Amino acid sequence: MKGTWPVEEARARFGEFLSASLTDGPQVVTRRGVETAVLVPMAEWRRLRESATPRLKDVLLMPGARTEDLAPSRESDRTRPPPAID
């Protein structure tokens, strides 16, 4: 079966649609001829999500990472006044 399903066919034959995604890879759903959604196996979805979200370590080690503003500067005029003693 090809990897493209009209929404009506995917709904009517969902079992086959699901099996095709597991055996043949991602299956595209179309509505009025326009690609609308994709059904992918869970392992593929997790891999895609993990690769799409960079880890903080990777972001900080990127060339051109702007790390100079991660910690506030220590300015001497920003000290708290001493507590009042009664």
Side-chain angles (χ1 to χ4, degrees), residues 51-62:
S51 66
T53 307
R55 297 178 313 185
L56 178 59
K57 177 182 175 182
D58 297 333
V59 171
L60 293 175
L61 293 175
M62 290 175 132

Side-chain angles (χ1 to χ4, degrees), residues 1 5 15-27 39-41:
M1 177 83 175
W5 299 67
E16 292 177 51
F17 176 54
L18 179 60
S19 294
S21 76
L22 296 172
T23 59
D24 303 333
Q27 301 293 302
L39 180 65
V40 296

Side-chain angles (χ1 to χ4, degrees), residues 2 6 20 38-40 47 50 55 59 62 67-68 71 73 84:
K2 61 184 176 177
V38 178
L39 180 65
V40 296
R47 187 189 65 74
E50 186 176 308
R55 297 178 313 185
V59 171
M62 290 175 132
T67 57
E68 62 274 1
S73 62

